Amino acid sequence: MPNEAGGLRETLAQRGVSRRDFLKFCSAMTAVLALPPRYMPRVVEALETATRPPLLWLEYQDCAGNTESLLRASKPTVAELILDVLSLDYHETVMAPAGHQAEKSLMDTVEAYKGQYLVVVEGSIPTKDGGIYCTIGGHTALDLVQEIGGNAAAIITVGTCAAYGGIPAAAPNPTDAVGVRDVVKGVPIINLPGCPMNVQNLTAVIVHYLTFGAWPATDQLGRPLFAYGSRIHDDCERRAHFDAGQFVEEWGDEGHRKGWCLYKMGCKGPETFHNCPIVRWNDGTSWPVGAGHGCVGCSEPAFWDTMSPFYRRLPSVPGFGVEATADKVGLGIVAGVAGAFALHGVASAVRAKARPLNKTKVEVEEE
Amino acid sequence: MAKIAIDPVTRIEGHLRIEAQVDGGQVTDAWSSATMWRGIETILQGRDPRDAWYFTQRI
Ligand code: SF4
């Protein structure tokens, strides 16, 4: 059964994961969490000794994209962390039992570990017509998430659907789908939106919890600041081209081949908060903008409606005044207007000061 | 005559319920239900056709 004492040390050794790889993993996690390097020993110690909170992974109106994101974590240490430090007691897509047996193992954990287990929710919850648009074992998703989620130590939503309703809630929202925080109250809820969420961020949230016994600081949308504290646009590798007024005008044109800015092709990076440019995907090798497609804003609530059509350019770019278009901003800077340059410098400095990473650091230090 | 139901069916992508009528060790009738509906066809109506791939990928 879950919740035995004992962390990763022995499990990893048994499975042939070297101490060196484990330390590398801890160092990577410390970096994702934007903690100063001196916190690494604490992360190592916590992961080696943590008791195992049972984890229930619940799927409702979903496409299993977040499950894919989890299972594609190639580093063995990441999978070990989720499956061994945590005790994954229920996950429909990966578990062996089905039917009554599956439901039994779920309810056993809920009863035995009331208030101690963690819940991950993937997918939105339909509320129309008594919730009949998603049922499991004859119960509605609405009843299940309220009972199972309502008795958890905390809920982590993975993906924009579980966080804010996502694609099922896109206009005209045929099933009155909502996110978890609309229907479960009184339990800490950490939102990891994205379509899908990045498993690095899920792992980092869990590492933070195991290390400090607390959840990371979040913004008003419930998103951890370490992962959603800065704009895609501010960390983007194509940003120099934006500032220089070098834009892709057509798919496959010279600018596209040279890796210029995708703003005119509809990139929503200027309005989207996520750490994609830094953490990246596929083992850190690439990410959508890096691969040549604009950001669609998938970590923002209601992005299916507010950020579409996805290939229409944003009417204005925040930070440069509402009237400033890409052309004006680009030309202004290309022309070398000292004032514009100074302004941009100031704006960056203010943004740098406001960077929430520092906030996380301060809160940790105050412990 | 007995009727059995398996719900949830695990290790698949999506939600599925199977019911079967068992008669003397033989399955004589069976029903399957997909127990989740989002209405993506409805959501797609009236949108920019260039966005369709991004929506339908999520099915
Ligand atoms: S508009 Fe998009 S591609 Fe251009 S710099 Fe901003 S985030 Fe990068």
Side-chain angles (χ1 to χ4, degrees), chain A residues 59-64 92-95 97-99 103 133-135 137-138 167 171 175 195 296 304-305 308-311, chain B residues 5-15 17 35-40 42-43 47-48 50-51 53-55 57-59:
Chain A
E59 289 175 76
Y60 299 127
Q61 282 178 305
D62 72 321
C63 69
E92 281 170 30
T93 307
V94 300
M95 69 194 301
E103 294 304 287
Y133 297 104
C134 181
T135 64
I167 190 169
T175 61
C195 199
V296 297
W304 293 100
D305 295 326
S308 62
F310 294 128
Y311 299 101
Chain B
I6 304 170
D7 179 8
V9 175
T10 54
R11 297 218 162 189
I12 56 159
E13 197 284 292
H15 300 276
R17 175 186 180 90
T35 61
M36 188 271 277
W37 187 77
R38 292 171 293 173
I40 291 188
T42 313
I43 292 166
R47 293 188 187 259
D48 188 322
R50 292 173 301 168
D51 289 352
W53 69 272
Y54 197 76
F55 282 76
Q57 244 186 5
R58 270 73 190 163
I59 293 172

Side-chain angles (χ1 to χ4, degrees), chain A residues 61-258:
Chain A
Q61 282 178 305
D62 72 321
C63 69
N66 296 282
T67 295
E68 289 279 339
S69 188
L70 168 77
L71 297 178
R72 287 196 182 177
S74 68
K75 292 186 183 70
T77 44
V78 176
E80 295 281 351
L81 180 87
I82 304 291
L83 296 168
D84 287 323
V85 169
L86 297 175
S87 174
L88 191 58
D89 284 6
Y90 185 88
H91 189 309
E92 281 170 30
T93 307
V94 300
M95 69 194 301
H100 297 307
Q101 284 173 296
E103 294 304 287
K104 188 175 179 318
S105 90
L106 174 64
M107 293 329 280
D108 281 352
T109 302
V110 171
E111 272 154 40
Y113 298 98
K114 208 168 233 187
Q116 296 165 47
Y117 60 87
L118 302 178
V119 165
V120 169
V121 180
E122 173 173 13
S124 54
I125 294 108
T127 61
K128 198 176 187 175
D129 299 330
I132 57 162
Y133 297 104
C134 181
T135 64
I136 295 159
H139 306 285
T140 64
L142 184 60
D143 285 346
L144 290 168
V145 78
Q146 286 177 336
E147 184 181 347
I148 302 166
N151 287 304
I155 302 172
I156 303 170
T157 67
V158 291
T160 306
C161 297
Y164 311 120
I167 190 169
N173 194 352
T175 61
D176 285 350
V178 296
V180 174
R181 65 179 185 160
D182 291 319
V183 290
V184 180
K185 307 287 175 197
V187 174
I189 299 175
I190 312 297
N191 285 333
L192 296 181
C195 199
M197 62 88 202
N198 194 319
V199 74
Q200 292 265 40
N201 291 333
L202 172 64
T203 311
V205 164
I206 292 168
V207 166
H208 190 285
Y209 179 65
L210 295 175
T211 305
F212 301 109
W215 299 101
T218 57
D219 65 9
Q220 75 279 11
L221 294 168
R223 306 180 294 191
L225 293 169
F226 75 81
Y228 302 87
S230 64
R231 285 194 303 167
I232 297 259
H233 188 59
D234 293 336
D235 296 325
C236 178
E237 67 229 29
R238 295 180 188 236
R239 178 58 185 266
H241 296 294
F242 176 90
D243 291 345
Q246 295 172 318
F247 299 102
V248 176
E249 304 280 347
E250 207 177 301
W251 299 118
D253 69 6
E254 202 198 339
H256 197 212
R257 289 199 298 274
K258 285 183 169 166

